């Protein structure tokens, strides 16, 4: 892919297509880094949490259905907390993709970041299908899925990344069948 990208740059270096494919190549590189970090203790080198969330939002917004009103609410000041950008981005991406699936490609999706009592909170709220009590209780268990495809590992790995690597927590803070779901990530500030 990188070779073809260079050929495309020679023909039309400022094309929107070239820029989007470059983003996708970088995303593939990030995905391979994620797999190499699972199972090892990642370094928490990144500090500007707003930048991590903003980059992820900008990437995902261009790749989900235009029928989804996807908004981001960030504080006006920088939130500085040690984290691993690659793994935290993967957690957010997983929550957003699950929300898009729950809305069947159409609806409202809001991601919010705020501070409360020395904690950083990230909420991903959708107006999708919601979950039953049973589904919510099992959502983070490995192998559990409400989808016809997939292995049911996304939320269990997200929980591991947040709890074990970032000393935080992830939970379903609200869900109602037919109304939607809100996931909440809590990261403790040092």
């Amino acid at each position: 892919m990188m070779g073809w990208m260079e050929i495309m740059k020679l023909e039309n270096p400022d094309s929107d297509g070239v820029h989007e494919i470059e983003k996708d190549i970088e995303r593939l590189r990030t995905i391979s880094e994620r797999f190499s970090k699972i199972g090892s203790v990642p370094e928490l080198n990144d500090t500007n949490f707003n930048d991590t969330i903003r980059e992820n939002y900008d990437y995902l917004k261009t790749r989900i259905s235009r029928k989804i009103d996807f908004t981001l609410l960030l504080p006006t000041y920088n939130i500085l907390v040690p984290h691993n950008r690659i793994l935290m981005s993967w957690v957010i991406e997983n929550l957003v993709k699950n929300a898009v699936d729950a809305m069947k490609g159409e609806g409202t999706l809001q991601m919010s970041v705020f501070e409360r009592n020395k904690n950083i909170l990230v909420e991903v709220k959708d107006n999708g299908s919601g979950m039953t009590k049973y589904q919510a209780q099992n959502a983070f268990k490995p192998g559990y899925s409400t989808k016809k495809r997939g292995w049911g590992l996304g939320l269990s790995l997200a929980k591991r990344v947040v709890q074990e690597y970032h000393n935080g927590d992830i939970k379903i803070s609200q869900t109602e069948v037919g109304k939607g779901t809100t996931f909440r990530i809590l990261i403790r500030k040092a």
Side-chain angles (χ1 to χ4, degrees), residues 9-25:
K9 279 184 184 178
L10 292 172
E11 292 176 11
N12 191 356
D14 295 324
S15 142
D16 287 341
V18 167
H19 293 298
E20 288 303 312
I21 292 172
E22 282 179 324
K23 287 180 191 176
D24 287 340
I25 289 171

Side-chain angles (χ1 to χ4, degrees), residues 1-13 18:
M1 277 180 82
M2 292 188 299
W4 282 109
M5 174 92 292
E6 292 305 316
I7 292 170
M8 289 174 66
K9 279 184 184 178
L10 292 172
E11 292 176 11
N12 191 356
V18 167

Side-chain angles (χ1 to χ4, degrees), residues 36 72 140:
S36 72
L72 173 63
F140 293 100

Side-chain angles (χ1 to χ4, degrees), residues 56-172:
N56 214 16
Y57 169 79
D58 290 344
Y59 177 80
L60 291 169
K61 184 161 177 72
T62 63
R63 281 152 179 83
I64 62 174
S65 170
R66 295 187 191 277
K67 294 180 181 178
I68 292 179
D69 180 22
F70 187 18
T71 57
L72 173 63
L73 300 174
L74 278 175
T76 55
Y77 57 92
N78 284 333
I79 293 178
L80 303 175
V81 61
H83 65 284
N84 183 286
R85 180 186 55 81
I86 292 168
L87 291 178
M88 193 54 66
S89 292
W90 180 80
V91 170
I92 298 298
E93 183 177 327
N94 186 272
L95 294 179
V96 167
K97 286 183 176 182
N98 284 347
V100 169
D101 287 348
M103 294 185 291
K104 296 178 177 48
E106 187 172 346
T108 303
L109 177 59
Q110 182 180 55
M111 189 163 43
S112 308
V113 179
F114 52 98
E115 280 187 270
R116 184 183 296 154
N117 302 329
K118 297 191 178 196
N119 295 315
I120 309 302
L121 299 166
V122 180
E123 288 188 343
V124 177
K125 180 179 183 177
D126 68 66
N127 68 344
S129 58
M131 290 186 238
T132 65
K133 186 176 180 179
Y134 177 82
Q135 290 170 327
Q137 288 172 340
N138 291 287
F140 293 100
K141 291 182 179 174
Y144 181 79
S145 179
T146 60
K147 301 175 189 175
K148 292 179 182 174
R149 59 176 174 73
W151 294 351
L153 296 175
L155 288 176
S156 64
L157 287 173
K159 187 172 187 108
R160 181 177 179 185
V161 166
V162 172
Q163 287 183 337
E164 293 181 23
Y165 301 149
H166 291 89
N167 190 30
D169 195 20
I170 183 172
K171 66 180 185 173
I172 298 167

